[in-house]
Amino acid sequence: MSVSFRAKPSLVAYLTCGDPDLSTSREVALAAIEAGAEVLELGVPFSDPVADGPVIQRASERALRNHVSLEDVLKLAAEIRSESDAGQIIFTYLNPIMRMGVEKFAAAAANAGVDGALVTDLPVEEAGEYLKHMRKHDLATVFLAAPTSTDERLKRICEVSTGFVYAVSRTGVTGARKDLADDAQKLVQRIRKFTKLPIVVGFGISQPEHFAAVGKFADGAAVGTAIVHTIEQNPGKEAQAVAELIAQVVGRRSSAVSP
Amino acid sequence: MATVSITKRHPAKVHGSRVSRTAKPGAPRLVATPGRFGPWGGRYVPETLMAACEELEREYEKAKRDPRFKARLAELLKSFAGRPTPLFYARRLTKKLGGAKIYLKREDLLHTGAHKINNCLGQALLVERMGKHRVVAETGAGQHGVATATVCALFGFECVVYMGTEDMRRQELNVFRMRLLGAEVRGVDSGSRTLKDAINEAMRDWVTNVRTTHYLLGSVLGAHPYPTMVRDFHRVIGQEARKQVVQAEGKLPTAVIACVGGGSNAIGIFHDFIGDKKVQLIGVEAGGRSEKLGDHAARFQGGLPGVLQGTYSYVLQDEAGQIASTHSVSAGLDYPSIGPEHAWLADQKRAEYVSASDAEALDACKMLARLEGIIPALESSHAVAEVIKRSPKMKKSDVVIVNISGRGDKDIGILRENLQLD
């Protein structure tokens, strides 16, 4: 199966699974797709999320109070798959995969119907075993590319990435920011030299203006912290609130672009 | 409320776009990250930090071969930190235990009160070489934070130290010392509010400010080159101890004992004895208050292979791969993972790892205070506890070195809460 990102940009929606509980995550995911998200990043809660800012840290802590595991997230992915064909990427730190076993993880992910994974703290140098098992199950291996990555590293990242390349818009942990650094566009141009894969820009996108701006130079824009924050702020009506947020972020673009 | 069913409403599934995942043929062969001790170690960090780790590795490799760097470091260790530290024969402790002859390596006499300054001076010189001006660090017991604040004052760097709020409570004197030295101490309220959480926060700061900021990691943990580099800066402990014991006794010791949190003082004193197969190397972990997960920090007695904060080693964790909480009376030993070189030494059976409980460490602290006039840090007291157990079973001709990695002044509050003095 090979479907490219349709919209320009496509909205990639991140959520920490199990925050506040798994059935809410399922509703939020489906509502996000309904509102215009083309790809879901299903975040696996981790006790020590070094690459995440306070909003996603708190979401992880809430999910871990219910002992939500990688296995639970894969079950959730299968449930979402039974209702939608939207792309699904497992977004995780390495240790939960190591504990499950890379081989078992790849098989379980394929079985759940997910499209691929992004492992935050797994650099390309270390990915040999992981790539082997992911390839065997025809799963996409998405890697991060950062403004601080050298051209040599970007080349290596592009060589082993499938699905898309995730461009970190600026240095820092996840978190909504008021303005997007020029870093993002420059980075996308640098990555473009090495790959024809879609490029998704993430880390800090929360406003329709960001989304429209990213659309000028990238294929997708990931919205994470803004969604997780919305979930935190709207207990009992999480799905509806996230749907409204996504419609708003995407909407400005469609009204500006439509004739 | 009925759930939205995408499939029903949109039979064509237009709102979803599967991700293309076709692998390109002839994918390159990957080289594992450097900095391995057997299978352990490596460099598991988000991509944003890879360039900074590579830069640090390059700079350190260059500095290592630069005679001026070596000379400046040696001079600072001598005139600022107070090296060499003595190797002291503990006559009354030896007599009381009735076994091996016990020597104490007095890292507690160093400036700032612990071995941590060795590494901080080395890294400060690297920060200067890299042209950075801002330093972040984590601290558990506060000893590394104080040493970092000290070198930042000495070199004129801006300094931010992250410290769990639980540790700030346990080590309030050190918090004040850091502030007095001009550092900003930022409390960390997430997770267990201890060392591991302070490292998370320091890493987040580093990720954000990587272009101007150096992360002055305080133990043989984290991504390459830290475990190797920090070890090298502490090797001076073992180099001195080896010379001193040979001079005093005309032979190598039977055993060398050190406490192990991340493992920096232990690897420092062990390293120059690794080639001497007859010298037993003994690391002492925090046995805490019980053997239950969450009640101790004995990684070799409950840990499983895993990746935490950049390195592959033994990690205390649950079956889902979530990092376990830990406990120790000493704030410097309650880390859920252990330096990767220790994992390798344990696998090779070159070093042996045991544990001492909170109560044993407290008793050992009191015993050393009363028999030798030395109040060891609660971390180092774990090593003393092991020699108390082991020495009576040894021969009088045996010689043991115990690394007193730090002094106990910072622990007076906890000691007062926990010790009944008669």
Side-chain angles (χ1 to χ4, degrees), chain B residues 96-114:
Chain B
K96 168 98 176 174
L97 297 174
K101 205 166 173 185
I102 301 166
Y103 282 88
L104 308 177
K105 180 62 175 162
R106 299 292 310 277
E107 293 295 294
D108 59 315
L109 290 177
L110 277 180
H111 182 39
T112 71

Side-chain angles (χ1 to χ4, degrees), chain A residues 204-220:
Chain A
I205 294 166
S206 60
Q207 306 287 327
E209 295 80 11
H210 298 156
F211 190 72
V214 167
K216 296 198 177 96
F217 56 84
D219 305 281

Side-chain angles (χ1 to χ4, degrees), chain B residues 305-327:
Chain B
V307 164
L308 177 64
Q309 294 169 335
T311 195
Y312 177 55
S313 186
Y314 287 95
V315 180
L316 291 168
Q317 55 184 309
D318 69 13
E319 67 283 354
Q322 303 295 342
I323 309 309
S325 57
T326 53
H327 164 81

Side-chain angles (χ1 to χ4, degrees), chain A residues 3 49 52 83 85 115 126 163, chain B residues 7 18 20 33 36 47 204:
Chain A
V3 181
D52 286 298
E83 304 211 38
D85 222 6
D115 296 273
E126 215 42 68
Chain B
T7 355
R18 297 299 290 268
S20 164
T33 51
R36 295 282 168 178
E47 178 60 26
R204 289 181 186 118

Side-chain angles (χ1 to χ4, degrees), chain A residues 208-255:
Chain A
E209 295 80 11
H210 298 156
F211 190 72
V214 167
K216 296 198 177 96
F217 56 84
D219 305 281
V223 180
T225 297
I227 289 176
V228 175
H229 182 70
T230 300
I231 291 170
E232 185 176 50
Q233 295 297 311
N234 292 277
K237 45 183 191 331
E238 294 90 351
Q240 190 194 334
V242 168
E244 281 164 17
L245 169 76
I246 289 175
Q248 191 209 345
V249 171
V250 179
R252 173 77 70 91
R253 174 192 57 104
S254 17
S255 62

Side-chain angles (χ1 to χ4, degrees), chain A residues 40-166:
Chain A
L40 293 176
E41 288 175 346
L42 298 176
V44 178
F46 185 52
S47 52
D48 293 82
V50 290
D52 286 298
V55 173
I56 292 179
Q57 286 175 51
R58 287 198 300 270
S60 295
E61 282 179 18
R62 286 191 294 270
L64 288 176
R65 262 177 241 145
N66 304 324
H67 304 284
V68 171
S69 64
L70 175 56
E71 213 172 321
D72 293 325
V73 174
L74 291 172
K75 266 186 222 152
L76 173 69
E79 283 177 34
I80 298 167
R81 176 57 73 232
S82 70
E83 304 211 38
S84 163
D85 222 6
Q88 291 188 39
I89 300 290
I90 301 293
F91 205 100
T92 184
Y93 288 85
L94 180 57
N95 203 54
I97 292 185
M98 286 190 117
R99 193 87 304 273
M100 179 180 275
V102 179
E103 190 168 4
K104 192 177 159 204
F105 166 73
N111 198 36
V114 308
D115 296 273
L118 190 163
V119 187
T120 320
D121 53 352
L122 181 69
V124 288
E125 287 87 340
E126 215 42 68
E129 188 72 7
Y130 165 78
L131 289 171
K132 186 177 91 186
H133 294 295
M134 295 293 278
R135 296 281 184 269
K136 194 160 84 190
H137 292 281
D138 193 24
L139 291 164
T141 50
V142 181
F143 285 90
L144 298 173
T148 49
S149 306
T150 56
D151 277 2
E152 190 196 335
R153 294 198 60 80
L154 289 182
K155 182 163 178 278
R156 240 183 294 171
I157 288 163
C158 290
E159 281 168 353
V160 297
S161 291
T162 54
F164 58 91
V165 176
Y166 192 119

